[in-house]
Amino acid sequence: MMEHTLITIGRQFGSGGHEVGNRLAERLDIPLYDHNLLRMAARELGVSDEDVAKVDETMLGRFLSGYVAGSGEYTAFMSGEEAGRPLSDRLFEAQSELIRRLAQRGSGIFVGRCADYVLGDYSNVINTFIYAYKDDRLNRIMDIYKLTEKQAADKIKKTDRERKLYYEARTGREWGGIESNSMLFNTSLLGIDGVTDALEAIYRKWESRG
């Protein structure tokens, strides 16, 4: 049994969940794994940076669901039946295996990537979901991306919908549901620092268990 502690963070777009992950990683001095996992997995499969640049957890299924590699770098890694499988499936499997390998190495924070599902058999994982009130999310996205209120609202709706579809298609679970998460945090009530403080305290408590 592993003694180190892992944290997974699911989040609504604009809730500040990724920032919580960044701050927590700095405080605890442990690695943060997010979109870089997809690029790492893609490189293991020989997928080009050009293709990976078009893919994120919100886009993976839509962009690649019907795409089957037929030539080029990716095919060099595949043969027979494997070469005919959708690249989306291969990327998800490679990413999941990478998450499990990194989890074995030591403590870390995993943002998105269905990490709570991938690490479902591990007993040392704190699964969290971070959300916020609509107005706070709107203001945050308007500020970060310099968008109008309507543009920000459209971006939030689109991104959340795609994250939900991606997560539920891959896991069979409800995105943001309590059955998939140890705890839910509202940054509108606690603030980003407050959520970070809470998770830091929980992490240190878990690490000190005898």
Side-chain angles (χ1 to χ4, degrees):
M1 177 180 175
M2 292 182 293
E3 296 181 356
H4 55 267
T5 302
L6 307 167
I7 297 173
T8 71
I9 298 177
R11 72 278 183 233
Q12 288 182 326
F13 187 60
S15 66
H18 196 280
E19 187 172 344
V20 168
N22 276 324
R23 294 187 187 185
L24 193 59
E26 290 179 2
R27 289 192 195 181
L28 299 175
D29 193 25
I30 60 178
L32 175 75
Y33 305 109
D34 48 15
H35 58 272
N36 56 352
L37 285 168
L38 181 61
R39 285 182 165 77
M40 293 164 68
R43 282 177 172 76
E44 290 191 2
L45 296 177
V47 179
S48 70
D49 286 343
E50 181 180 357
D51 279 348
V52 173
K54 302 173 185 176
V55 179
D56 197 355
E57 72 181 276
T58 59
M59 296 291 290
L60 188 57
R62 187 173 69 189
F63 175 68
L64 293 173
S65 60
Y67 174 50
V68 177
S71 61
E73 294 178 70
Y74 176 68
T75 305
F77 284 76
M78 301 293 142
S79 63
E81 182 180 340
E82 288 298 305
R85 297 183 63 205
L87 185 53
S88 58
D89 291 346
R90 291 295 303 169
L91 275 172
F92 180 76
E93 290 171 8
Q95 179 180 264
S96 298
E97 178 56 31
L98 183 59
I99 288 172
R100 286 186 284 265
R101 292 206 309 265
L102 292 169
Q104 290 286 344
R105 291 182 184 177
S107 295
I109 300 167
F110 297 85
V111 179
R113 313 300 146 186
C114 301
D116 60 298
Y117 173 77
V118 174
L119 299 175
D121 292 334
Y122 292 65
S123 61
N124 59 326
V125 186
I126 301 169
N127 293 318
T128 70
F129 190 86
I130 296 174
Y131 65 105
Y133 296 145
K134 181 179 179 180
D135 286 348
D136 292 328
R137 297 168 66 200
L138 277 171
N139 289 332
R140 183 176 178 80
I141 295 305
M142 288 168 63
D143 182 59
I144 292 174
Y145 295 98
K146 309 306 178 188
L147 301 176
T148 66
E149 182 174 340
K150 184 181 185 307
Q151 288 172 329
D154 289 344
K155 189 174 183 66
I156 287 171
K157 182 178 180 180
K158 176 175 177 290
T159 303
D160 275 356
R161 181 178 65 247
E162 291 177 339
R163 285 182 179 176
K164 175 181 172 69
L165 289 172
Y166 176 83
Y167 180 86
E168 294 184 355
R170 290 297 180 185
T171 70
R173 298 176 177 176
E174 179 187 1
W175 182 65
I178 192 63
E179 68 278 1
S180 303
N181 300 284
S182 307
M183 53 203 75
L184 281 68
F185 292 98
N186 186 338
T187 52
S188 293
L189 296 177
L190 296 174
I192 289 175
D193 278 333
V195 174
T196 305
D197 290 344
L199 282 172
E200 179 184 6
I202 293 166
Y203 175 91
R204 296 193 186 282
K205 182 69 174 179
W206 278 44
E207 284 285 281
S208 67
R209 292 181 301 178

